[in-house]
């Protein structure tokens, strides 16, 4: 066992905990190091609320530019504007959608609380280990759930954005002026067969995509490994919005691929590949067909998917048009940032009300299950597997 974990698990004299409630913090809002991310975790409106509660916010100049939030708005909300990347990273609480890289870790304070997302842009094991050495706490807002049976709250809220962006993006990529586009509309037109949309996965995002696809007049097929998820998706759509559903079977999937105009793959949030579309299977698609990988950085079941950038979101390969942004909601960065900010604000409010992250994890189960690192020790088994880190249950570390 790691010496740090062993020391933390060593029995000690019981102490009466003093609860220091309503504590104010210095919150850093640094710019993203990774150019693949254009959203921001706190909007000016959220900053204004935090400042009114006594917190100090250090905002790095230009951090909100990608989401179309102006520096002047953050200044008006009461944030301190800094041009020094280091200053925003040195705060006791650091809020950013991606974790710091190793080069930034030298500025991170020992025992700092990092509020971030982990699934869409993963760091290297070396970057992650640098944060562990600092004894950091990490709260992953993208895995927060109200209960074990629920969808992750962020996925639930962003699914509406992803659903709309998937259909508008598919519509654009199918246009002739896109170069490789087939020159067809994404929906249905009288006298013309409807566009066929094939969705892999039956999660909440797949439901939103199916809902909008049906509203456009498209023909929709959904594949998943679970009868239960397929049944729930159909129940949500209602009996008057019937879609073709099937378990993953090679013959059935290959047959569907031959007539598909738009293939949409929803990332497997479980971290397990439940389907796998090979390059050979993709060759069955019509020439000019569109392939959208909604969250390929989470995990992708499409062999030829490679994460694209905001500067060049789509690419052509083997006669098909691909778009594989880390998260398609980045195309609506302003709207997505407002949604993310609401969730992040609730986390910060809970920590402030309870006085510390230690006290918060003890009394707030919602934040406790989203805390993936506690004093440098990884407390989430899946994250530990991703980064080859040693795992320990958070309940053994709190006291």
């Amino acid at each position: 066992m790691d010496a740090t974990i062993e020391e933390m698990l060593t029995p000690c004299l019981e102490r009466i905990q003093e609860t220091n409630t309503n504590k104010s913090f210095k919150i850093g809002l640094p710019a993203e190091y990774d150019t693949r991310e254009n959203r921001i975790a706190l909007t000016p409106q959220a900053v204004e609320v935090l400042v009114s509660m006594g917190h100090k916010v250090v905002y790095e100049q230009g951090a909100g530019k990608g989401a179309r939030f102006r520096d002047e708005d953050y200044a008006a909300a009461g944030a301190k504007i800094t041009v020094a990347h280091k200053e925003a990273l040195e705060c006791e609480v650091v809020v950013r959608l991606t974790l710091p890289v190793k080069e930034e870790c030298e500025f991170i304070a020992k025992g700092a609380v990092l509020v971030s997302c982990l699934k869409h842009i993963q760091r290297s094991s070396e970057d992650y280990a640098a944060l562990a050495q600092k004894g950091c706490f990490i709260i992953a807002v993208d895995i927060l759930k109200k209960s074990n049976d629920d969808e992750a709250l962020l996925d639930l809220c962003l699914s509406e954005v992803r659903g709309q962006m998937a259909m508008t993006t598919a519509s654009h990529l199918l246009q002739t002026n896109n170069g490789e586009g087939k020159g067809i509309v994404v929906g249905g037109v009288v006298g013309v067969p409807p566009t066929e949309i094939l969705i892999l996965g039956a999660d909440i995002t797949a439901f939103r995509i199916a809902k909008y696809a049906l509203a456009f007049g498209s023909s929709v097929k959904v594949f998943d490994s679970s009868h239960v998820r397929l049944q729930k998706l159909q129940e949500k759509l209602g009996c008057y919005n019937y879609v073709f559903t099937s378990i993953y079977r090679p013959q059935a999937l290959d047959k569907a691929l031959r007539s598909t105009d738009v293939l949409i793959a929803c990332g497997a949030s479980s971290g397990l590949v439940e389907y796998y579309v090979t390059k050979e299977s993709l060759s069955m698609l019509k020439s000019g067909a569109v392939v959208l990988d909604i969250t390929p950085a989470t995990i992708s079941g499409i062999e030829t998917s490679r994460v694209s950038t905001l500067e060049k979101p789509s690419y052509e390969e083997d006669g098909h048009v691909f778009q594989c942004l880390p998260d398609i909601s980045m195309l609506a960065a302003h709207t997505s940032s407002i949604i993310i900010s609401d969730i992040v604000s609730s986390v910060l409010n809970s920590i402030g009300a309870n006085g510390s992250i230690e006290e918060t994890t003890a009394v707030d189960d919602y934040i406790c299950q989203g805390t993936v690192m506690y004093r440098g020790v990884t407390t989430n088994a899946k994250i530990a597997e991703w980064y080859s880190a040693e795992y320990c249950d958070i309940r053994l570390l709190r006291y």
Side-chain angles (χ1 to χ4, degrees):
M1 181 180 289
D2 184 89
T4 304
I5 299 178
E6 187 174 4
E7 181 181 336
M8 295 171 71
L9 295 179
T10 301
C12 59
L13 292 175
E14 185 176 359
R15 298 187 302 271
I16 299 176
Q17 291 193 346
E18 295 181 1
T19 303
N20 181 18
T21 57
N22 297 317
K23 182 181 177 183
S24 60
F25 298 100
K26 191 174 184 181
I27 302 169
L29 195 54
E32 292 289 345
Y33 184 90
D34 201 312
T35 57
R36 289 176 293 175
E37 180 59 80
N38 62 340
R39 301 168 297 179
I40 191 167
L42 287 173
T43 65
Q45 292 80 5
V47 169
E48 185 176 10
V49 173
L50 289 168
V51 171
S52 70
M53 296 174 65
H55 300 294
K56 295 180 180 179
V57 178
V58 180
Y59 165 87
E60 184 179 351
Q61 186 177 1
K65 182 179 179 181
R68 300 298 186 268
F69 290 109
R70 303 182 306 164
D71 295 343
E72 306 92 276
D73 295 330
Y74 283 97
K80 176 187 177 183
I81 311 298
T82 180
V83 296
H85 188 58
K86 171 184 175 182
E87 186 176 359
L89 288 169
E90 289 176 332
C91 297
E92 55 191 314
V93 178
V94 177
V95 179
R96 198 173 72 176
L97 287 176
T98 60
L99 289 176
V101 295
K102 187 177 180 181
E103 291 81 1
E104 297 175 304
C105 286
E106 61 178 291
F107 305 126
I108 299 294
K110 186 174 179 60
V113 177
L114 307 178
V115 182
S116 186
C117 294
L118 270 66
K119 293 194 297 184
H120 74 301
I121 297 180
Q122 293 181 23
R123 293 305 188 204
S124 68
S125 296
E126 190 177 8
D127 293 335
Y128 185 79
L131 294 172
Q133 290 173 2
K134 286 278 187 172
C136 291
F137 296 84
I138 299 177
I139 301 173
V141 296
D142 53 344
I143 67 171
L144 290 171
K145 296 181 180 181
K146 288 298 183 182
S147 72
N148 290 333
D149 297 328
D150 289 341
E151 297 273 357
L153 184 59
L154 187 61
D155 285 340
L156 190 66
C157 296
L158 284 180
S159 65
E160 193 81 23
V161 178
R162 291 168 180 160
Q164 290 194 41
M165 294 314 301
M167 293 312 299
T168 55
T169 300
S171 178
H172 169 70
L173 295 177
L174 284 170
Q175 294 173 11
T176 307
N177 64 346
N178 189 56
E180 294 296 326
K182 296 178 63 177
I184 62 176
V185 295
V186 76
V189 176
V190 175
V192 180
T195 303
E196 289 198 20
I197 310 291
L198 174 57
I199 304 171
L200 302 179
D203 61 3
I204 185 63
T205 298
F207 160 69
R208 300 294 186 188
I209 295 170
K211 184 181 79 170
Y212 288 114
L214 290 169
F216 271 94
S218 301
S219 171
V220 179
K221 296 178 180 179
V222 183
F223 281 75
D224 196 274
S225 63
S226 167
H227 277 286
V228 173
R229 284 197 293 265
L230 289 170
Q231 186 176 35
K232 285 183 177 179
L233 179 139
Q234 184 60 71
E235 287 175 353
K236 288 179 182 178
L237 290 171
C239 60
Y240 297 106
N241 288 314
Y242 179 78
V243 298
F244 171 94
T245 56
S246 174
I247 293 296
Y248 294 122
R249 295 190 182 94
Q251 289 183 338
L253 185 56
D254 288 349
K255 182 180 179 180
L257 285 168
R258 290 188 180 94
S259 60
T260 293
D261 298 297
V262 180
L263 171 63
I264 303 177
C266 297
S269 58
S270 64
L272 300 174
V273 177
E274 297 179 329
Y275 55 85
Y276 195 75
V277 182
T278 64
K279 186 175 182 178
E280 182 182 359
S281 294
L282 284 174
S283 67
M284 300 176 187
L285 288 170
K286 302 173 184 176
S287 177
V290 170
V291 180
L292 297 180
D293 216 339
I294 300 298
T295 53
T298 302
I299 193 163
S300 176
I302 298 180
E303 183 178 7
T304 57
S305 279
R306 62 177 187 267
V307 179
S308 51
T309 64
L310 289 162
E311 291 75 20
K312 188 174 173 54
S314 60
Y315 60 92
E316 187 273 334
E317 187 169 301
D318 297 330
H320 307 129
V321 184
F322 287 77
Q323 180 167 297
C324 310
L325 289 171
D327 189 327
I328 200 170
S329 69
M330 292 175 177
L331 294 175
H334 188 88
T335 299
S336 299
S337 294
I338 294 172
I339 294 170
I340 295 166
S341 179
D342 288 342
I343 297 174
V344 171
S345 295
S346 69
V347 171
L348 296 175
N349 288 338
S350 181
I351 297 173
N354 290 298
S356 69
I357 182 64
E358 292 92 342
E359 186 64 27
T360 302
T361 57
V363 300
D364 191 329
D365 290 336
Y366 170 64
I367 292 180
C368 181
Q369 56 87 16
T371 302
V372 301
M373 183 183 285
Y374 190 96
R375 295 178 187 164
V377 178
T378 302
T379 55
N380 180 287
K382 179 56 64 177
I383 303 301
E385 182 181 332
W386 284 356
Y387 293 110
S388 302
E390 189 163 355
Y391 163 77
C392 185
D393 193 302
I394 190 172
R395 291 169 294 184
L396 300 176
L397 303 174
R398 282 201 300 234
Y399 301 111

